[in-house]
Amino acid sequence: MASGHLILYFRSKLLRWHKNENKRTLPWKGEKDPYRIWLSEIILQQTRAEQGLPYYQKFIETYPNVFALAQATTDEVLKLWQGLGYYSRARNLHATAIKVANEFKGIFPKNFAELKKLKGIGNYTAAAIASFAYGEPVAVVDGNVSRVLSRFFGIEHEINSSEGRKLVDELAQRLVCKKQPGAFNQAAMDLGATICTPRTPSCTACPLKLRCKALKLGKVHLLPVKQQRVGKKKRIFIYFIMVCNGKTYIRQRRKNDIWKGLFEPPAVEITGQTNYNIQTIAEDYFKESFSEPPECTTYRQQLTHQSLEIHFVTLPYRESLFKKFEGENMRVNISELSKFAFPKTISLHFKKIGLL
């Protein structure tokens, strides 16, 4: 698939474009500090650069080094992460900061194999740190790089299958420049992000266009090939909100599930039902009747593998109802809600109704 001449063509054209034409600017480009590289890569997992940029800046300002991050509490880290989603990234980030600060004296491992042993660091992030910070010739393969390779070499395997990922990873490793691995990896990612884009690629501006197989065969919009995802699991949450004398109830999610460690109002999750009545559910929850349906606002949120339907039921104050929240829930002042980390939809609704 990739002859020596083709590999040299790909590598030289890409590096020349990176040196002379690549105008993409990001604060972590050219960074040699492994802490900052690691932080940027964890934030950018499942997140567009434009969305991740302000979070990266906030983290650097708040926790300028791994010792500062290690000294934070998990709740503080989750609060700063709020809105980015995939909160396991934040928990792993904090756990790894503690390990590096306490066990490695703040020094990140200096090779790919050792970096991969850290929590939350897989092939992609380990390769980024190893190549950018330490000059180890390992390939960084993200979605952008996979797309570039798939199109240029005409790969028709499903690139999100185990066979397709293995093929792309091995090819990327053959291509990476031994003398300039960091520059090569950054160039490949930037080319995919700015020119070889998913829907509207700028093929005429591509430095690889003369030997791109997808362009030659008219298959640019057919590649890469991806496996179709299985249908998403649907989940329904009903949150109950009641305020009394400037106080309300919230609880922390502790199970190994979405939003672990974040806070939410008291809730009921409905399973196995397609037809349900909010008033009936509220009456079952509180063991009391309501003369009319409670006020309810509904949101829908799509996660990678789950489709969420979220209902917020705002109840007028009734002492008997308010006391039902006691137990697993904690009573907090409305003025202190901003100190807690909430899932994005809950935070948006709290702001909408004036609680945040």
Side-chain angles (χ1 to χ4, degrees):
M1 178 185 288
S3 66
H5 288 299
L6 195 58
I7 287 174
L8 288 174
Y9 171 87
F10 185 98
R11 190 183 293 156
S12 62
K13 289 289 186 182
L14 186 63
L15 286 170
R16 189 175 298 123
W17 170 81
H18 182 61
K19 180 180 179 181
N20 299 325
E21 299 177 54
N22 185 7
K23 305 300 182 185
R24 193 182 190 212
T25 58
L26 292 167
W28 47 80
K29 279 182 66 172
E31 183 61 67
K32 299 296 183 184
D33 181 349
Y35 170 72
R36 294 191 172 206
I37 295 168
W38 166 66
L39 182 60
S40 69
E41 296 301 340
I42 297 299
I43 288 174
L44 293 182
Q45 290 172 10
Q46 307 289 341
T47 303
R48 291 178 294 104
E50 295 75 15
Q51 181 188 2
L53 176 57
Y55 285 90
Y56 173 79
Q57 292 170 330
K58 283 193 300 182
F59 266 88
I60 290 298
E61 290 169 5
T62 310
Y63 308 118
N65 54 56
V66 73
F67 294 106
L69 181 55
Q71 289 170 3
T73 66
T74 301
D75 285 345
E76 287 170 337
V77 173
L78 288 171
K79 177 62 180 175
L80 203 60
W81 192 272
Q82 183 175 293
L84 261 183
Y86 300 94
Y87 289 91
S88 61
R89 292 182 295 169
R91 292 190 294 271
N92 290 339
L93 182 85
H94 190 223
T96 291
I98 293 171
K99 185 177 184 68
V100 171
N102 295 342
E103 296 183 26
F104 303 155
K105 299 180 180 179
I107 300 172
F108 279 80
K110 295 187 177 182
N111 63 73
F112 175 80
E114 292 302 313
L115 285 162
K116 272 188 64 177
K117 295 177 182 179
L118 296 174
K119 197 168 186 178
I121 295 185
N123 288 349
Y124 168 78
T125 304
I129 300 170
S131 64
F132 295 145
Y134 303 126
E136 185 178 355
V138 284
V140 176
V141 183
D142 65 356
N144 289 320
V145 174
S146 295
R147 185 168 56 256
V148 170
L149 299 190
S150 175
R151 287 173 174 168
F152 182 82
F153 291 99
I155 298 171
E156 301 205 8
H157 289 79
E158 295 171 325
I159 62 167
N160 54 346
S161 67
S162 57
E163 183 182 2
R165 279 193 294 268
K166 184 174 184 290
L167 179 64
V168 170
D169 287 347
E170 290 175 350
L171 179 57
Q173 191 56 44
R174 288 184 64 196
L175 290 165
V176 70
C177 179
K178 303 293 188 292
K179 294 181 180 179
Q180 303 178 69
F184 176 87
N185 284 330
Q186 189 65 63
M189 291 190 289
D190 286 352
L191 188 74
T194 61
I195 290 180
C196 194
T197 55
R199 294 179 181 82
T200 56
S202 304
C203 294
T204 56
C206 181
L208 307 174
K209 61 180 181 290
L210 294 181
R211 301 191 68 175
C212 176
K213 196 167 183 180
L215 184 59
K216 181 180 179 180
L217 299 176
K219 291 186 174 182
V220 172
H221 292 286
L222 299 178
L223 296 176
V225 179
K226 293 185 178 181
Q227 282 181 334
Q228 295 299 312
R229 283 181 179 162
V230 179
K232 294 184 177 182
K233 176 183 178 182
K234 183 175 180 179
R235 301 179 69 178
I236 300 167
F237 295 94
I238 299 177
Y239 288 109
F240 298 107
I241 300 172
M242 185 183 296
V243 177
C244 174
N245 295 327
K247 298 180 185 293
T248 192
Y249 279 96
I250 59 174
R251 67 184 186 185
Q252 189 170 30
R253 294 180 65 88
R254 299 191 181 277
K255 293 182 180 179
N256 287 322
D257 191 6
I258 59 170
W259 307 327
K260 181 182 177 182
L262 274 67
F263 291 82
E264 64 183 359
V268 170
E269 181 175 359
I270 302 173
T271 56
Q273 295 184 46
T274 54
N275 296 315
Y276 53 90
N277 181 281
I278 298 292
Q279 181 172 347
T280 300
I281 290 169
E283 289 177 344
D284 286 345
Y285 182 87
F286 291 103
K287 302 296 187 290
E288 292 195 27
S289 62
F290 295 90
S291 58
E292 56 185 52
E295 179 186 339
C296 181
T297 303
T298 300
Y299 298 81
R300 287 175 176 80
Q301 183 177 352
Q302 300 298 322
L303 304 180
T304 304
H305 301 294
Q306 300 183 34
S307 177
L308 309 183
E309 186 174 300
I310 302 171
H311 303 278
F312 292 97
V313 178
T314 302
L315 298 165
Y317 173 70
R318 191 190 297 178
E319 186 176 1
S320 59
L321 300 182
F322 203 62
K323 287 185 176 180
K324 293 280 177 64
F325 289 134
E326 294 177 355
E328 65 174 0
N329 304 301
M330 52 190 288
R331 189 187 297 194
V332 298
N333 292 320
I334 300 299
S335 60
E336 295 181 347
L337 283 177
S338 60
K339 298 178 181 178
F340 297 90
F342 297 99
K344 184 177 181 180
T345 301
I346 294 175
S347 178
L348 288 173
H349 185 69
F350 275 5
K351 289 176 183 177
K352 181 178 178 181
I353 62 176
L355 293 186
L356 279 178

